């Protein structure tokens, strides 16, 4: 049976690139037939990566068969995976997120979760000496994943390992990191084709805080004005998105990658209270700027209060 390797729904660059990396390693080095898959359409930065490195786009799958061999990467959260994920034969999990619980396996499996910024960083360490056999386009995917998840080393999730591995990949590929990251972020920032509801779901994770269910959405961009000029329409779309997704409220943070700050939208009293209690901010209008905030994982989720 061919093992399917996939990341989370609403695939970002890491959930698009890391499955390609690991499927290559399983197939070409370990001799286990594997192919990458996507649980939905990739974001515009991930599509840029595929195009730039001339990688085949993984097949988008809508579900999995019971008993299917799968490797899960870049998440361990059942809510971000197919509904019947526990009917699959999960053979490994490689991730860099908090352990959520809920995944079940029929036998002991390989699990590797490390507090680094990116799944590809962990894979580089696991592949070890076999990196010497990795083709350039797969190395390119790895480098793109690390630059994406670290926001070119600006995110506080960045570790020395992420940096050292990215520099090593860039050197072997002859890539100028700042020039290449600028191209990536320009691709990620081009969201003009998406509806407000699509933007609110593009990079979004659900969390419960104080009995309230929040959809915490982040848009990383080098041109925040292009998103913030749509703020009225974005706020108007929030109630429907929340209701359809079983949440009480959408929280949207527009992360300005270059100026290293986030702008949170504040459509109502609940979000105003969350902004003031969580981030020690004084809210006067329908947005609030949060200096230095770039990481949902490290700077937003752990501090959320209602
Ligand atoms: Mn991800
Ligand atoms: Mn990741």
């Amino acid at each position: 049976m061919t093992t399917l390797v996939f990341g989370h729904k609403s695939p970002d660059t890491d959930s698009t690139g890391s499955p390609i990396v690991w499927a290559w390693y399983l197939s070409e080095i370990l001799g286990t037939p594997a192919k990458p898959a996507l649980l939905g359409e990739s974001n515009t930065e991930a599509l840029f990566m595929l195009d730039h490195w001339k990688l085949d786009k993984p097949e988008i799958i809508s579900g999995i068969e019971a008993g299917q061999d799968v490797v899960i990467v870049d998440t361990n959260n059942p809510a971000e995976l197919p509904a019947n994920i526990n009917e699959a034969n999960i053979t490994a999990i490689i991730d860099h997120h908090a352990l959520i619980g809920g995944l079940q396996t029929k036998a002991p499996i390989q699990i590797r979760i490390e507090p680094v910024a990116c799944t590809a960083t962990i894979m580089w360490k696991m592949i070890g000496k076999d990196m010497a056999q990795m083709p350039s386009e797969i190395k390119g995917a790895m480098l793109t994943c690390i630059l994406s998840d670290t926001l070119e080393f600006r995110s506080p999730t960045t570790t020395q390992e992420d940096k050292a591995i990215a520099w090593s990949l860039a050197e072997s590929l002859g890539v100028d990191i700042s020039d290449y990251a600028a191209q990536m972020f320009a691709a990620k920032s081009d969201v003009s084709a998406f509806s407000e509801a699509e933007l609110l779901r593009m990079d979004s994770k659900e969390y419960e805080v104080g009995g309230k269910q929040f959809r915490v959405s982040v848009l990383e961009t080098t041109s925040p004005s292009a998103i913030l000029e749509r703020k009225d329409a974005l706020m108007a779309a929030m109630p429907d998105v929340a209701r359809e997704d079983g949440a009480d409220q959408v929280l949207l943070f527009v992360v300005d990658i270059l100026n290293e700050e986030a702008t949170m939208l504040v459509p109502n009293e609940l979000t105003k209270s969350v902004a003031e209690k969580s981030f020690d901010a004084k809210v006067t209008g329908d947005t609030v700027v949060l200096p230095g905030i770039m990481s949902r994982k490290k700077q937003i989720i752990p501090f959320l209060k209602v």
Side-chain angles (χ1 to χ4, degrees):
M1 186 194 297
T2 299
T3 299
L4 287 180
V5 186
F6 49 78
H8 52 78
K9 292 179 186 171
S10 300
D12 55 9
T13 299
D14 196 20
S15 270
T16 303
S18 289
I20 293 173
V21 173
W22 203 249
W24 169 82
Y25 182 58
L26 286 177
S27 300
E28 303 300 322
I29 303 298
L30 299 185
T32 303
K35 66 174 196 171
L38 293 167
L39 303 182
E41 182 61 276
S42 295
N43 73 14
T44 53
E45 182 186 72
L47 294 174
F48 162 81
M49 168 183 72
L50 297 175
D51 184 59
H52 185 92
W53 296 100
K54 302 196 168 41
L55 290 159
D56 289 335
K57 186 175 165 187
E59 186 187 343
I60 298 177
I61 57 171
S62 54
I64 45 165
E65 309 257 315
Q68 169 70 48
D69 289 347
V70 304
V71 172
I72 296 167
V73 304
D74 197 34
T75 183
N76 65 79
N77 184 350
E80 299 180 342
L81 292 162
N84 66 339
I85 188 66
N86 283 334
E87 291 171 23
N89 181 35
I90 303 168
T91 61
I93 300 169
I94 307 169
D95 187 25
H96 65 113
H97 294 88
L99 188 61
I100 297 288
L103 289 179
Q104 293 181 345
T105 63
K106 293 159 187 66
I109 67 161
Q110 184 176 43
I111 297 183
R112 183 138 163 182
I113 299 177
E114 289 190 32
V116 292
C118 180
T119 307
T121 300
I122 304 170
M123 289 179 175
W124 189 94
K125 293 164 67 180
M126 294 174 81
I127 293 170
K129 291 190 180 73
D130 296 320
M131 282 299 302
Q133 285 168 264
M134 184 178 279
S136 300
E137 65 272 19
I138 309 283
K139 284 187 188 167
M142 275 192 142
L143 174 63
T144 315
C145 290
I146 299 173
L147 294 176
S148 173
D149 269 359
T150 62
L151 297 172
E152 196 191 354
F153 316 134
R154 294 176 179 88
S155 169
T157 58
T158 308
T159 68
Q160 180 54 33
E161 284 188 310
D162 297 294
K163 281 193 219 177
I165 291 167
W167 280 109
S168 150
L169 288 164
E171 187 177 40
S172 93
L173 291 166
V175 166
D176 178 308
I177 284 185
S178 59
D179 181 66
Y180 180 64
Q183 293 180 58
M184 288 169 48
F185 299 152
K188 175 149 51 188
S189 303
D190 182 11
V191 293
S192 53
F194 297 100
S195 71
E196 281 75 25
E198 286 170 325
L199 289 177
L200 293 175
R201 291 189 173 108
M202 189 167 287
D203 182 355
S204 184
K205 295 186 193 282
E206 288 203 9
Y207 293 91
E208 191 190 307
V209 184
K212 294 264 183 219
Q213 200 69 30
F214 290 102
R215 185 169 258 292
V216 183
S217 301
V218 169
L219 289 172
E220 296 162 345
T221 179
T222 51
S223 49
S225 60
I227 294 168
L228 291 172
E229 69 192 18
R230 296 169 67 180
K231 74 177 160 67
D232 291 343
L234 284 163
M235 290 192 289
M238 283 179 176
D240 280 350
V241 167
R243 185 165 36 75
E244 286 165 23
D245 298 351
D248 296 300
Q249 179 67 48
V250 178
L251 303 178
L252 177 62
F253 298 84
V254 180
V255 171
D256 183 335
I257 299 172
L258 301 180
N259 290 312
E260 304 193 10
E261 63 183 26
T263 300
M264 180 182 171
L265 268 54
V266 186
N268 54 31
E269 283 304 312
L270 174 61
T271 47
K272 183 177 181 201
S273 165
V274 169
E276 295 192 330
K277 288 180 185 159
S278 309
F279 306 108
D280 202 17
K282 184 83 198 96
V283 180
T284 51
D286 56 9
T287 61
V288 59
V289 174
L290 307 170
I293 301 287
M294 307 193 77
S295 166
R296 171 174 47 208
K297 186 195 285 185
K298 249 189 155 141
Q299 296 172 299
I300 297 176
I301 297 303
F303 300 98
L304 283 183
K305 294 180 200 70
V306 182

